[in-house]
Amino acid sequence: MQVQITGASDLVDRFEELLAMHGVSIPVHASTGSDMLPLWRILNTIRTGFAGTPDDMRMEYTAGLAVHDLTAKVMAVEDHPDFPTLIPHLRMLAQGAVHLTQEPPADADAYNKLVEVYWATLLMAKGTRVLLDHPKNSKGDNPDVIALDGGQPARAYAFKTVRSPHTQNLLDHIVKGVDQIERCPAPEGIVAFNLTPRLLGAGLWPEDGFFADWRQPAVYTIGKLTGMISDVLKDNGQTAIDNVFAGKKAVGSILCVAFIPTVAKNPETGNAVVMPLKVATLVNLVVDRPPSAEMRAEIEAANHTMQTALG
């Protein structure tokens, strides 16, 4: 789906107003240079007669699309009863990254928390009540997002942002996530990886070119994510992986998410269009420990909201 820059800029303005109501401001961050202005820079350039290609404004489009996407998800749930639980996370935006498609800064706390608040908004958009682990007071021993059923913890999501290319690092994150799920009050949980940092150099924004169909980079991304998780199994063996999950509440699948800008041909005009590629896919590690029907439906609904809620 396409996003008009003017409308996106208006939405971001309303987002900043909403944050200000809760005492949150988004200044330019000293180390990352992140702010909420990329959409306005794009709009101003277009209004003054920009005749270049998306490559000429790669950084602005990358940041602008991602900022807009986060904004749309948060604004869609501003009336949800659990919206106040998002505020401590959103307050961290002033301390670090404000979008998920940039290289994580050295002090990556705020970046890591973005994917948690993002996923929480996807669940909230369907009316689900959630528990969100506090970004500062957390001891790191609870899953980050817990979906409630009838006021009771039901499904836990233990998110990990992964940068390292080594399978041992992935396995360590899996073990930690399974342990967090085991300690939490929910009867079921899933380890979830934000693998965006692993894909930032994967060529999903072709140099001096574009994909003929947006589904091409989507299929490529799912293949890359599946391969990363499959390599953990390949390097450690099925028995070792089975032992990690044996007798635990964590399901034997990994939820993989990624947020990558790409350029593909508009099917109506034939022109290159910059678009945010957002992927949420399940990769199975243990055959006999699948997610419940409720969890699978919840993830599918969240993925649908991820693709369609654009403000």
Side-chain angles (χ1 to χ4, degrees):
M1 298 181 70
Q2 296 182 52
V3 176
Q4 296 297 322
I5 295 296
T6 304
S9 297
D10 291 342
L11 182 69
V12 169
D13 280 348
R14 288 189 281 117
F15 179 52
E16 291 198 84
E17 291 172 2
L18 176 65
L19 294 181
M21 290 171 56
H22 294 276
V24 180
S25 62
I26 309 294
V28 175
H29 187 258
S31 63
T32 67
S34 298
D35 58 29
M36 305 295 271
L37 297 177
L39 289 162
W40 280 113
R41 285 197 290 267
I42 298 170
L43 179 61
N44 185 61
T45 302
I46 293 172
R47 282 175 172 169
T48 56
F50 176 67
T53 69
D55 280 314
D56 298 324
M57 297 184 69
R58 181 183 294 242
M59 290 183 62
E60 287 83 359
Y61 272 112
T62 296
L65 288 170
V67 167
H68 167 263
D69 189 50
L70 175 66
T71 297
K73 302 306 189 284
V74 173
M75 293 293 290
V77 298
E78 63 175 308
D79 295 324
H80 190 282
D82 295 324
F83 183 83
T85 66
L86 304 180
I87 299 303
H89 286 72
L90 295 174
R91 189 167 285 119
M92 293 186 72
L93 296 179
Q95 304 166 25
V98 297
H99 61 89
L100 286 163
T101 56
Q102 68 183 53
E103 189 68 30
D107 179 10
D109 273 357
Y111 180 94
N112 294 342
K113 298 303 178 184
L114 272 184
V115 71
E116 299 168 16
V117 79
Y118 189 93
W119 191 258
T121 63
L122 299 182
L123 302 185
M124 292 162 65
K126 297 300 181 181
T128 302
R129 299 297 301 268
V130 300
L131 294 175
L132 189 61
D133 206 24
H134 194 284
K136 289 296 187 181
N137 299 334
S138 169
K139 297 179 180 178
D141 56 359
N142 290 316
D144 308 292
V145 183
I146 298 179
L148 306 180
D149 273 348
Q152 298 299 313
R155 292 166 297 279
Y157 297 86
F159 274 94
K160 312 294 175 188
T161 295
V162 180
R163 300 163 182 77
S164 171
H166 304 296
T167 56
Q168 183 60 48
N169 180 265
L170 285 169
L171 180 60
D172 291 344
H173 280 311
I174 292 172
V175 171
K176 183 177 180 180
V178 168
D179 181 62
Q180 289 176 324
I181 291 166
E182 195 65 21
R183 294 167 182 260
C184 84
E188 176 186 28
I190 189 168
V191 178
F193 285 159
N194 170 23
L195 291 162
T196 303
R198 292 279 304 271
L199 292 171
L200 291 177
L204 289 165
W205 183 317
E207 292 286 346
D208 301 319
F210 56 90
F211 290 99
D213 190 311
W214 68 268
R215 287 169 290 193
Q216 291 175 293
V219 169
Y220 176 78
T221 298
I222 291 173
K224 291 285 287 185
L225 299 178
T226 302
M228 292 176 197
I229 305 305
S230 298
D231 284 345
V232 178
L233 182 61
K234 184 189 307 180
D235 288 355
N236 292 277
Q238 187 67 59
T239 299
I241 300 302
D242 287 347
N243 289 338
V244 171
F245 292 91
K248 305 294 186 180
K249 294 189 292 185
V251 304
S253 299
I254 304 297
L255 171 62
C256 299
V257 299
F259 310 86
I260 303 292
T262 190
V263 184
K265 184 172 70 174
N266 183 319
E268 296 178 0
T269 67
N271 296 328
V273 177
V274 183
M275 61 182 67
L277 183 63
K278 298 165 288 186
V279 174
T281 189
L282 289 170
V283 182
N284 187 49
L285 282 176
V286 182
V287 175
D288 61 352
R289 300 187 63 83
S292 65
E294 291 79 8
M295 174 172 275
R296 185 174 289 276
E298 186 167 78
I299 292 172
E300 289 176 355
N303 186 41
H304 177 75
T305 299
M306 186 190 301
Q307 310 304 329
T308 58
L310 300 174

